[in-house]
Amino acid sequence: MKLSKRIAIAALTALLAISMLTACGGNGNGNGNGSGSSSTGGNTGSNSEANNGSNSETNTETKPGTGKDDTTTDVNKLTSRAAKYFARQGVNGKTRYIRYCSEIDGIERVEACDGQRRYFCGPARDSENRLVTEVSIIDANQQLRYSYCVGDNNKELDVASEKIYENDVDHVSFIPYRLSLFSAAEVEPVTINGVEYYCEKDETAYLTYYCFDKADVEGLNLKYIVKEYGSGASEIIEIREVKAVLNPELLRIPEGYERYDVYYNEMTNEYSRTYVGTTGKDSYPN
């Protein structure tokens, strides 16, 4: 199976829908390792930060694999390389972190969650159609979505009421939702940028493929995920880091931003913004 790097616009739309329909781009820098701490597994890629748009010296990380489905998987009993990979990263609970890059635009994206809040950083267009880096944080307890642009000199933050469910904040894109139910089987190799990779297909998801170096028989390093969307459209995603710990600073609302509450009027199909004050220090999750 040979997949083209030329991707239809519909594929990009589908990818963004998977990734919460909110974006965060520019350089797309994001790591979540605190002050450059090493990953607990997976690809390392670059060690850039996306901690609310600034470097963080905090190195406090949540415990791996917390929350429901918190089980220990015996890697030796697994046959799938993809299953072995995710089991080694410990991503079988609510706390998850992933850093990846789409070959559509070459921009890095970061997602993280802990069962109460979920963070997404990736590319977006502002009101003047400029490419910016936007962060979106949703909170299931508060039923709110926070959005702001990284590096915004005006330091403005929008807050909107939104119906948010538990399963909206205990998973991220591309990591199996429940590792205990995950099943991937070998299919024909995939060629990406002229290199042929060993490939497995997720039996529980629609046309999702996991690509490893052919010599990586233990599934130590997930190189790419390929999504097919039908009609010949496909998306190649480079996986740079997967782990079950994260810097809690990612999930905190930035201090000193002008907060605007955003309301949507269904009658007029228009949005309104109301200034409500300046954000204080967020000690989440304390």
Side-chain angles (χ1 to χ4, degrees):
M1 176 176 61
K2 189 171 183 179
L3 298 171
S4 171
K5 282 185 62 179
R6 290 187 170 273
I7 311 299
I9 294 298
L12 176 58
T13 303
L15 176 64
L16 294 179
I18 292 171
S19 300
M20 292 171 49
L21 293 174
T22 56
C24 147
N27 292 329
N29 294 335
N31 182 310
N33 274 345
S35 55
S37 62
S38 62
S39 166
T40 56
N43 303 7
T44 55
S46 62
N47 275 330
S48 53
E49 281 284 347
N51 292 336
N52 294 330
S54 62
N55 291 333
S56 170
E57 298 300 325
T58 305
N59 196 31
T60 303
E61 295 184 329
T62 58
K63 295 181 180 180
T66 57
K68 60 185 176 183
D69 198 31
D70 186 7
T71 58
T72 301
T73 303
D74 186 350
V75 176
N76 296 323
K77 294 182 179 180
L78 301 174
T79 57
S80 160
R81 295 189 193 185
K84 288 181 178 181
Y85 173 80
F86 288 116
R88 286 192 181 95
Q89 314 325 315
V91 286
N92 54 353
K94 295 182 181 180
T95 305
R96 296 154 177 243
Y97 174 95
I98 186 169
R99 184 162 54 92
Y100 58 92
C101 183
S102 164
E103 288 210 358
I104 287 179
D105 52 24
I107 298 174
E108 186 173 272
R109 294 159 171 82
V110 175
E111 296 185 42
C113 66
D114 68 351
Q116 178 179 326
R117 286 185 178 181
R118 178 173 172 178
Y119 168 98
F120 180 86
C121 179
R125 293 284 178 179
D126 66 9
S127 58
E128 299 180 8
N129 201 35
R130 295 173 300 188
L131 186 65
V132 296
T133 302
E134 186 181 54
V135 167
S136 177
I137 298 173
I138 60 174
D139 189 302
N141 287 350
Q142 298 176 349
Q143 295 287 286
L144 294 175
R145 178 187 295 273
Y146 301 87
S147 301
Y148 62 94
C149 288
V150 173
D152 177 16
N153 293 330
N154 295 324
K155 289 192 172 183
E156 295 184 356
L157 179 143
D158 287 345
V159 183
S161 297
E162 186 171 313
K163 187 63 178 178
I164 300 168
Y165 300 93
E166 182 182 1
N167 62 358
D168 293 328
V169 292
D170 66 358
H171 70 285
V172 294
S173 297
F174 309 122
I175 298 178
Y177 184 59
R178 289 290 176 264
L179 188 57
S180 59
L181 302 177
F182 177 69
S183 175
E186 182 180 359
V187 293
E188 56 185 297
V190 170
T191 298
I192 299 174
N193 299 331
V195 178
E196 191 173 80
Y197 291 91
Y198 169 89
C199 183
E200 293 180 349
K201 178 181 179 295
D202 185 357
E203 301 295 337
T204 62
Y206 179 69
L207 296 179
T208 302
Y209 301 88
Y210 302 88
C211 305
F212 298 83
D213 288 331
K214 286 192 169 183
D216 184 9
V217 296
E218 290 300 317
L220 299 175
N221 189 12
L222 177 60
K223 301 288 290 186
Y224 295 97
I225 286 178
V226 177
K227 291 286 295 184
E228 285 192 342
Y229 301 105
S231 302
S234 60
E235 169 67 357
I236 300 170
I237 300 103
E238 178 191 354
I239 303 302
R240 295 184 171 177
E241 191 172 17
V242 171
K243 58 184 183 177
V245 291
L246 58 92
N247 187 336
E249 188 69 23
L250 286 178
L251 300 178
R252 291 174 184 153
I253 310 306
E255 183 179 5
Y257 274 59
E258 294 185 355
R259 171 173 169 164
Y260 290 83
D261 283 354
V262 180
Y263 301 95
Y264 173 67
N265 189 323
E266 294 183 355
M267 299 294 294
T268 62
N269 196 31
E270 294 180 345
Y271 287 91
S272 61
R273 296 172 79 229
T274 303
Y275 175 70
V276 295
T278 304
T279 59
K281 183 176 180 58
D282 186 3
S283 59
Y284 180 86
N286 298 325

